[in-house]
Amino acid sequence: ITFAAGLLFLNLWSGAISRGIIFRSEDVNNETLDLKAENVFLKTELAKQATLISEDILGEKAFVYSRYPFNLKHELLVSAGKERGVEVGQAVVFHGLLLGRVKERYKSSSLVQTIFDNQFELAVRIGAEGSDALLKGGTAPYLDLISKNAKVRPGDSVYSAAPEFPFGLPIGTILEMDSGLGETFGRASIILVYNPADIRVVQILGK
């Protein structure tokens, strides 16, 4: 990555912040992050109970290799690969919150595509009503294709509903709805309870 590319990314990142991407991480330490993640978990569990679905999930812990000074977060290199049974497509979580999927697998490491990649898309559901939506990645991930008839409220949990992932992995909560494009579907901005710059350890979940 060239220095110019790094500067371009920083400019884009600053632009995303100015457009309203929400990272609730005011001097977040691990204990605070655990509490915030637990809050998202509780909301998601209530939503899952409403749809009568529950799953126990186990994962393989992996450390995130540094990419300082550019610190790009659309993809991460982590310390688990083929030797530890990692497979392409497996879900990757941070403090239990869905972060992305394994994109490439090597002997002792793997490349993870995160929700901050603008090519990332995932079917999700919202709240206890289980309203369908499409998570679209980027520096400011958001939800698209939400039915205008859906009962979506600020604070509702957002969780995975795609067949390739365990059902109900928490992602974040709804910040607010907007009109979207047209009269059929709307969009929503979401709150993430962590700063991607703080990611040091992740878990790779079994299929």
Side-chain angles (χ1 to χ4, degrees):
I1 300 174
T2 65
F3 181 75
L7 289 178
L8 175 60
F9 173 78
L10 291 175
N11 287 335
L12 290 173
W13 185 263
S14 298
I17 293 176
S18 68
R19 291 194 298 274
I21 182 171
I22 305 298
F23 298 132
R24 296 294 172 85
S25 58
E26 307 87 354
D27 298 322
V28 171
N29 55 35
N30 282 337
E31 183 176 356
T32 303
L33 179 53
D34 281 338
L35 290 174
K36 291 186 175 185
E38 183 179 359
N39 184 50
V40 178
F41 262 115
L42 290 174
K43 289 185 175 182
T44 300
E45 286 303 311
L46 289 173
K48 287 166 66 177
Q49 288 175 19
T51 56
L52 302 179
I53 295 177
S54 177
E55 289 195 19
D56 294 323
I57 299 171
L58 300 176
E60 183 78 18
K61 182 179 291 187
F63 296 98
V64 177
Y65 290 111
S66 174
R67 293 198 166 184
Y68 182 85
F70 299 110
N71 213 27
L72 302 179
K73 293 302 177 186
H74 68 284
E75 59 183 26
L76 304 172
L77 188 66
V78 302
S79 65
K82 184 176 180 180
E83 291 179 334
R84 290 167 62 183
V86 174
E87 297 181 11
V88 171
Q90 286 182 287
V92 179
V93 299
F94 175 59
H95 281 259
L97 306 174
L98 180 62
L99 175 62
R101 59 166 65 92
V102 176
K103 180 179 180 181
E104 297 179 17
R105 179 189 68 166
Y106 312 114
K107 182 178 179 180
S108 57
S109 62
S110 295
L111 189 66
V112 176
Q113 178 192 35
T114 75
I115 63 173
F116 305 105
D117 186 332
N118 59 16
Q119 299 298 312
F120 187 96
E121 293 187 349
L122 187 75
V124 299
R125 287 193 176 144
I126 306 168
E129 298 289 335
S131 301
D132 290 313
L134 180 67
L135 173 67
K136 304 196 78 170
T139 52
Y142 67 96
L143 301 184
D144 200 2
L145 301 180
I146 304 171
S147 171
K148 290 295 182 68
N149 297 321
K151 297 178 181 179
V152 175
R153 306 171 185 82
D156 282 350
S157 61
V158 179
Y159 50 95
S160 65
E164 66 267 28
F165 283 175
F167 182 89
L169 294 177
I171 298 167
T173 56
I174 295 293
L175 176 63
E176 61 182 1
M177 288 285 296
D178 63 40
S179 58
L181 301 174
E183 299 180 355
T184 305
F185 297 106
R187 295 179 176 177
S189 52
I190 60 176
I191 296 173
L192 304 175
V193 299
Y194 59 89
N195 188 323
D198 297 331
I199 299 170
R200 297 291 184 271
V201 179
V202 299
Q203 277 185 300
I204 303 173
L205 304 185
K207 290 187 175 181

